[in-house]
Amino acid sequence: MRMNLNFTNKGQAAIAKFNNEELLEIFARYSNTLMKKYSIEITVPAEGNEAIVEKGAMTVIADKIECDVDTFFKELGRDVKVPLKKRLSPEDKLDNVFKAESLD
C-alpha cells in the first residue's frame, strides 16, 4: 500500500531545515525502529521522493500490514519530531509533523 505523508504547515517549516537525503534517512531509521514493535514493513523509496521539501509530502510503501496503520503513523510522527525539533529555534512549536493518507 502506498502512503503519502502530507506535512503540516509546521512540519513543512521543520523539514525545510533538512536536505532530501537527511529526511529519507530520518524516516527510514525511525520506521525501522518502530517495525520491531509493530507488524508492518515500511519502505522509504528515494524514487518519487526527490523533492520532499518542495512538495510538502513524502511517499512510503507499507507491506505485510498486521497492525493498525493509523497508530503506527501517529507514533512515527511523534518519533520523528525529535530530530526535526533539534534544528528549530526553542520558541518554534512542532505539534503534528504530518498526516498519513493512503494512495491505494
Side-chain angles (χ1 to χ4, degrees):
M1 171 183 351
R2 289 179 352 118
M3 303 284 296
N4 236 14
L5 307 182
N6 299 310
F7 292 96
T8 62
N9 290 338
K10 291 181 180 181
Q12 288 182 27
I15 66 168
K17 301 192 182 290
F18 292 83
N19 66 41
N20 224 54
E21 291 75 30
E22 290 173 316
L23 292 170
L24 290 171
E25 169 64 27
I26 288 168
F27 277 83
R29 185 174 351 120
Y30 282 88
S31 293
N32 286 339
T33 301
L34 275 181
M35 285 189 289
K36 295 173 185 170
K37 179 178 174 182
Y38 291 93
S39 187
I40 188 171
E41 285 187 16
I42 298 293
T43 307
V44 183
E47 186 177 316
N49 284 322
E50 293 87 6
I52 298 167
V53 175
E54 291 79 10
K55 288 186 202 172
M58 172 186 280
T59 303
V60 299
I61 300 167
D63 286 316
K64 299 181 183 171
I65 304 164
E66 296 178 22
C67 67
D68 182 34
V69 175
D70 291 334
T71 303
F72 175 85
F73 282 107
K74 281 180 188 170
E75 193 159 338
L76 179 62
R78 282 194 301 268
D79 288 355
V80 298
K81 267 200 273 191
V82 174
L84 297 182
K85 286 177 81 169
K86 288 181 180 176
R87 294 201 185 167
L88 295 175
S89 62
E91 57 274 353
D92 288 331
K93 298 286 184 227
L94 184 58
D95 301 322
N96 293 330
V97 177
F98 61 83
K99 289 189 169 63
E101 164 193 33
S102 174
L103 298 175
D104 294 336

